[in-house]
């Protein structure tokens, strides 16, 4: 992928991330105030979740500032791994937030059920704020996911799912607060129960976000289906014999392929070179112009 295209990707990623950043700034402030005034532990937990979005937004902005740089002597394959690292950090941050909410809500449930502590009833302001958050975060999820898929950015897509997890969080909060308000004193425990359910959803989302990027950082090869398809493309090219030693991996939004092929002994260097060019053209047609392909050509008798 050329520098101009990476620059465009970075600009698009930055634009959608800044939109999310300012939306999170407003939402976090409103949620925190509503949670305190409205006596809702679920809403305060939801506010903390939104606060974590600031961290991930900043991580995405910083990572794309690095990703847009061209390859250099220290990073011959470009800076795509910084985007992968950003995705991993987003996932881990989200998991820690979920764990914190789980612990806090668990304490409140323990106090209400086993210690018979009277929990304060949430107020309407917390319920209205939860509804506002649901709508806002779902809109942010949709526009961020669309942009992330358009520019093929794992970090932006991960950030989109962070928005979606916040929307789920607000749905759970809305149900818990609504139940606690409408069903009376004996049901106030629904508020921290809602926060507990939300925390589980958050941690599940965090796992989904981070597992792929962690595998990429550990240089795991592409999935079997992709590897088989790459071999099939190469095998179907005229005069290629026995493609072998296939190695694949990802660097950001690009894939890297290493392959050995055999050709007839009597081919000239020019003819063998043209075969390699054809391999590159056909693979890039399917996997993108930024795909990096290293081909080791050997005589047939080897």
């Amino acid at each position: 992928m050329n520098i101009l295209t990476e620059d465009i990707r970075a600009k698009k990623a930055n634009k959608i991330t800044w939109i999310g950043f300012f939306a999170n700034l407003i939402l976090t402030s409103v949620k925190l105030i509503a949670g305190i005034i409205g006596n809702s532990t679920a809403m305060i937990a939801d506010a903390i979740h939104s606060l974590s979005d600031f961290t991930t937004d900043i991580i995405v902005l910083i990572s794309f500032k690095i990703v847009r740089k061209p390859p250099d002597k220290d990073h011959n394959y470009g800076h795509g791994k910084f985007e992968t690292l950003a995705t991993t950090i987003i996932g881990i941050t989200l998991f820690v937030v979920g764990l914190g909410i789980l612990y806090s809500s668990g304490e409140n449930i323990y106090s209400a059920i086993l210690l018979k502590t009277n929990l304060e009833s949430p107020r309407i302001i917390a319920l209205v704020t939860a509804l506002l958050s649901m709508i806002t975060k779902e809109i942010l999820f949709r526009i961020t996911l669309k942009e992330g898929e358009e520019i093929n950015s794992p970090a932006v897509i991960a950030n989109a799912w962070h928005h979606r997890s916040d929307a789920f969080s607000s749905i759970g909060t809305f149900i818990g607060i609504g139940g606690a308000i409408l069903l009376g004193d004996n049901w106030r425990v629904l508020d921290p129960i809602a926060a507990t359910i939300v925390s589980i959803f958050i941690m599940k989302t965090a796992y989904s976000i981070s597992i792929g990027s962690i595998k990429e950082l550990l240089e795991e090869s592409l999935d079997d289906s992709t590897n088989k398809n790459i071999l099939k493309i190469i095998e179907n090219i005229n005069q290629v014999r026995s493609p072998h030693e296939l190695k694949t991996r990802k660097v950001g939004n690009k894939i890297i392929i290493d392959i050995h092929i055999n050709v007839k002994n009597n081919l000239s260097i020019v003819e063998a070179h043209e075969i390699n060019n054809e391999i590159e053209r056909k693979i890039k047609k399917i996997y993108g112009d930024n795909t990096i392909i290293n081909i080791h050509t050997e005589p047939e008798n080897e």
Side-chain angles (χ1 to χ4, degrees), residues 1-2 14 16 18 35 42 71 105 119 139 157 170 185 192 209 212 217 234 236 244 254 257 261 269 277 282 286 302:
M1 180 176 287
N2 58 41
N14 287 342
I16 196 65
W18 277 116
S105 57
L119 300 177
I139 292 171
I157 292 172
S170 295
D185 295 349
I209 287 172
L217 288 174
I234 297 173
N236 288 334
H244 56 286
K254 69 183 70 170
I257 301 169
I261 64 169
I269 292 177
N277 286 341
K282 291 197 172 181
I286 295 176
E302 288 193 7

Side-chain angles (χ1 to χ4, degrees), residues 39-112:
N39 297 322
S40 172
T41 55
M43 179 52 65
I44 293 173
D46 208 12
I48 294 171
H49 184 199
S50 291
L51 184 63
S52 73
D53 288 350
F54 286 121
T55 306
T56 59
D57 287 337
I58 292 170
I59 289 168
V60 171
L61 291 168
I62 292 174
S63 72
F64 268 94
K65 187 176 180 62
I66 299 171
V67 167
R68 70 198 304 175
K69 294 179 180 179
D72 53 36
K73 65 182 181 65
D74 295 320
H75 302 89
N76 301 149
Y77 291 104
H79 298 78
K81 286 287 187 181
F82 287 93
E83 187 176 350
T84 309
L85 179 62
T87 307
T88 305
I89 294 173
I90 289 171
I92 292 173
T93 301
L94 195 55
F95 188 86
V96 171
V97 169
L99 202 59
I101 293 173
L102 179 65
Y103 178 79
S104 176
S105 57
E107 278 191 324
N108 286 328
I109 293 171
Y110 175 79
S111 297

Side-chain angles (χ1 to χ4, degrees), residues 19-215:
I19 291 172
F21 179 87
F22 286 113
N24 286 327
L25 175 63
I26 296 170
L27 266 181
T28 300
S29 302
V30 171
K31 284 183 184 180
L32 194 58
I33 293 169
I36 294 171
I37 296 175
N39 297 322
S40 172
T41 55
M43 179 52 65
I44 293 173
D46 208 12
I48 294 171
H49 184 199
S50 291
L51 184 63
S52 73
D53 288 350
F54 286 121
T55 306
T56 59
D57 287 337
I58 292 170
I59 289 168
V60 171
L61 291 168
I62 292 174
S63 72
F64 268 94
K65 187 176 180 62
I66 299 171
V67 167
R68 70 198 304 175
K69 294 179 180 179
D72 53 36
K73 65 182 181 65
D74 295 320
H75 302 89
N76 301 149
Y77 291 104
H79 298 78
K81 286 287 187 181
F82 287 93
E83 187 176 350
T84 309
L85 179 62
T87 307
T88 305
I89 294 173
I90 289 171
I92 292 173
T93 301
L94 195 55
F95 188 86
V96 171
V97 169
L99 202 59
I101 293 173
L102 179 65
Y103 178 79
S104 176
S105 57
E107 278 191 324
N108 286 328
I109 293 171
Y110 175 79
S111 297
I113 295 177
L114 297 180
L115 301 182
K116 305 298 182 182
T117 302
N118 289 325
L119 300 177
E120 289 190 69
S121 176
R123 297 174 182 170
I124 292 295
I125 185 175
L127 188 67
V128 173
T129 303
L131 180 62
L132 174 66
S133 176
M134 284 163 47
I135 296 169
T136 304
K137 296 302 286 189
E138 182 63 20
I139 292 171
L140 281 173
F141 163 72
R142 291 176 183 272
I143 62 175
T144 305
L145 182 65
K146 181 180 178 182
E147 197 69 60
E149 290 177 342
E150 184 179 313
I151 64 175
N152 191 23
S153 169
V156 174
I157 292 172
N159 213 23
W161 282 101
H162 200 162
H163 290 315
R164 170 54 72 84
S165 73
D166 213 357
F168 284 154
S169 173
S170 295
I171 290 172
T173 302
F174 181 81
I175 295 171
I177 294 172
I181 292 174
L182 297 175
L183 299 178
D185 295 349
N186 292 333
W187 293 94
R188 291 177 184 176
V189 72
L190 286 176
D191 184 59
I193 287 175
T196 300
I197 295 171
V198 165
S199 69
I200 294 170
F201 274 110
I202 291 172
M203 288 188 286
K204 183 177 181 298
T205 302
Y207 175 81
S208 300
I209 287 172
S210 56
I211 189 65
S213 55
I214 289 174
K215 287 179 178 179

